[in-house]
Amino acid sequence: MRIVKAFDGFMTSIVNSFTTRAMQKLLEHLTSPEQKSIAISVISCITVPLTKSLSGHHVIQHCLKFFSNEDNKYILNAVADNCLDIATDKSGCCVIQQCVAHAQGEPWDRLVQEITVNALVLSVHPYGYEFYPHRLKN
């Protein structure tokens, strides 16, 4: 129950660097499938704001590092669903690179498909352009 309350409070303060650092530490210590499921459920709902936050994007990167491919697919799907919005953001373009680097299988295919669909826009956008050459390195 404490984990649920921690994640509920996190949703309201995602741009706070202390909160996101505490969240990263919490993610490192989740052990049960239920704890990880709750964390992924909450994070996947706030993936876009996290990717655009200078502090929050570290939470996404932490998930990619500490969770399985199966767990991360929900976050990666949220990133794919909002690919253009995220890839054209200063922090988001870095997150997209990390997602492509860590994704495997269907989530990777979805990300690459969305990047390809948006290739023209990404190729002329200042942040999208920085990201675009890295998209297919897997």
Side-chain angles (χ1 to χ4, degrees):
M1 185 52 112
R2 283 187 265 168
I3 291 174
V4 172
K5 288 182 181 180
F7 280 108
D8 284 343
F10 180 67
M11 289 180 69
T12 61
S13 59
I14 60 172
V15 295
N16 179 318
S17 62
F18 174 76
T19 303
T20 55
R21 185 65 187 132
M23 202 58 173
Q24 291 170 53
K25 282 299 196 186
L26 177 64
L27 293 172
E28 290 174 23
H29 293 93
L30 298 179
T31 55
S32 77
E34 181 182 27
Q35 291 171 336
K36 289 181 180 181
S37 177
I38 292 168
I40 292 294
S41 293
V42 172
I43 292 169
S44 64
C45 291
I46 57 172
T47 295
V48 175
L50 283 172
T51 62
K52 293 179 165 192
S53 165
L54 291 175
S55 301
H57 78 276
H58 292 289
V59 174
I60 300 295
Q61 291 173 344
H62 236 63
C63 289
L64 295 173
K65 180 178 179 182
F66 287 100
F67 291 163
S68 71
N69 291 329
E70 182 66 25
D71 292 332
N72 282 326
K73 74 179 180 182
Y74 300 103
I75 292 171
L76 294 169
N77 283 336
V79 171
D81 290 343
N82 298 280
C83 177
L84 184 61
D85 189 28
I86 294 170
T88 56
D89 179 79
K90 186 176 183 177
S91 294
C93 66
C94 297
V95 175
I96 290 268
Q97 289 177 36
Q98 292 296 316
C99 288
V100 170
H102 283 87
Q104 296 177 359
E106 185 181 333
W108 187 83
D109 292 342
R110 276 203 69 214
L111 282 168
V112 171
Q113 179 183 0
E114 290 300 319
I115 291 163
T116 304
V117 166
N118 293 294
L120 182 60
V121 175
L122 291 174
S123 68
V124 296
H125 190 278
Y127 299 124
Y129 179 77
E130 288 296 318
F131 152 73
Y132 187 70
H134 303 283
R135 80 189 194 302
L136 295 177
K137 293 181 181 178
N138 189 6

